[in-house]
Amino acid sequence: MRTVAALIMASSFVALVWVLHEAVIISVDYPPGLTNPTIRFGFHPELRDMLFAMLLVSAVSAYCFAMISWTEQKLAEMRSLIDTHRTTARVRQPAAVRRLKDAIRSGDPDAVRKYAKQAALEVVDDHSLTPLELADLYENQPVVDALRAAMMKHARYRTPPGQPVATPSSEFALRKSDDSQKSFRRAGLKR
């Protein structure tokens, strides 16, 4: 972009020099009895508008070139800052979470019950989907029910006695919480 702006600016300056050469009239008069000549500058009347237009074009192209150069310099500085702060090592999920997510992807409710341990359900990762979000995305209701049942079981252990247990949900859930409560009751779990 900077190269194109430089070419436009250079060509507008060349055109300005040509228009100045054609439009400006310089006359030298030697009045009788005076030793110094009188120098007069003038413009061709037909080329006066073209001269002012070319001055405007040259000023605008120089301004655009300066702005593009400044913008590219700032972008290069921002890219270098981003590259220095970017971490190359990606945090891997624990093996318990990977096993649980593989069971969810395979669609096996028994494997989900087996791998839905507290260590896998308590991992907080801002870069990946939670197991419940993944199960809701796959829309396999037996897997979702098995995972929610395991999550409710682990939530009961952490909740103080007498406090209600919150129903686990994700933003990808397609069924209402009333339906999930019915499925928990069918699975033999109480709220």
Side-chain angles (χ1 to χ4, degrees), residues 77-88:
E77 290 173 6
M78 286 192 304
R79 282 187 196 115
S80 68
L81 284 174
I82 290 170
D83 288 341
T84 56
H85 293 307
R86 182 180 292 166
T87 57
T88 55

Side-chain angles (χ1 to χ4, degrees), residues 8-172:
I8 291 171
M9 184 180 71
S11 62
S12 67
F13 281 135
V14 168
L16 176 65
V17 168
W18 179 79
V19 169
L20 276 173
H21 179 264
E22 295 295 322
V24 175
I25 300 171
I26 301 173
S27 61
V28 180
D29 291 334
Y30 293 99
L34 293 175
T35 57
N36 293 332
T38 304
I39 301 173
R40 295 186 185 159
F41 292 97
F43 298 105
H44 281 291
E46 302 101 26
L47 298 176
R48 186 178 301 158
D49 292 338
M50 185 184 292
L51 175 65
F52 291 124
M54 285 311 300
L55 281 171
L56 180 64
V57 167
S58 298
V60 168
S61 66
Y63 175 76
C64 289
F65 175 74
M67 289 306 297
I68 288 171
S69 298
W70 179 81
T71 304
E72 286 186 355
Q73 178 187 2
K74 291 298 178 185
L75 285 174
E77 290 173 6
M78 286 192 304
R79 282 187 196 115
S80 68
L81 284 174
I82 290 170
D83 288 341
T84 56
H85 293 307
R86 182 180 292 166
T87 57
T88 55
R90 177 134 173 119
V91 178
R92 290 184 53 122
Q93 290 183 336
V97 176
R98 284 197 310 267
R99 284 192 298 267
L100 177 59
K101 286 186 175 183
D102 289 340
I104 292 169
R105 288 185 190 103
S106 68
D108 185 7
D110 294 329
V112 169
R113 282 187 208 94
K114 177 182 175 185
Y115 293 121
K117 305 290 182 203
Q118 189 170 359
L121 296 175
E122 287 183 347
V123 173
V124 178
D125 184 8
D126 294 335
H127 301 291
S128 302
L129 293 173
T130 64
L132 185 58
E133 290 172 342
L134 184 65
D136 282 334
L137 280 176
Y138 274 91
E139 297 180 3
N140 188 341
Q141 199 56 44
V143 169
V144 172
D145 292 341
L147 184 60
R148 282 193 178 148
M151 291 176 78
M152 288 290 287
K153 178 181 170 186
H154 292 295
R156 272 197 207 96
Y157 291 132
R158 288 182 304 200
T159 306
Q163 294 288 332
V165 179
T167 305
S169 65
S170 75
E171 50 187 88
F172 302 110

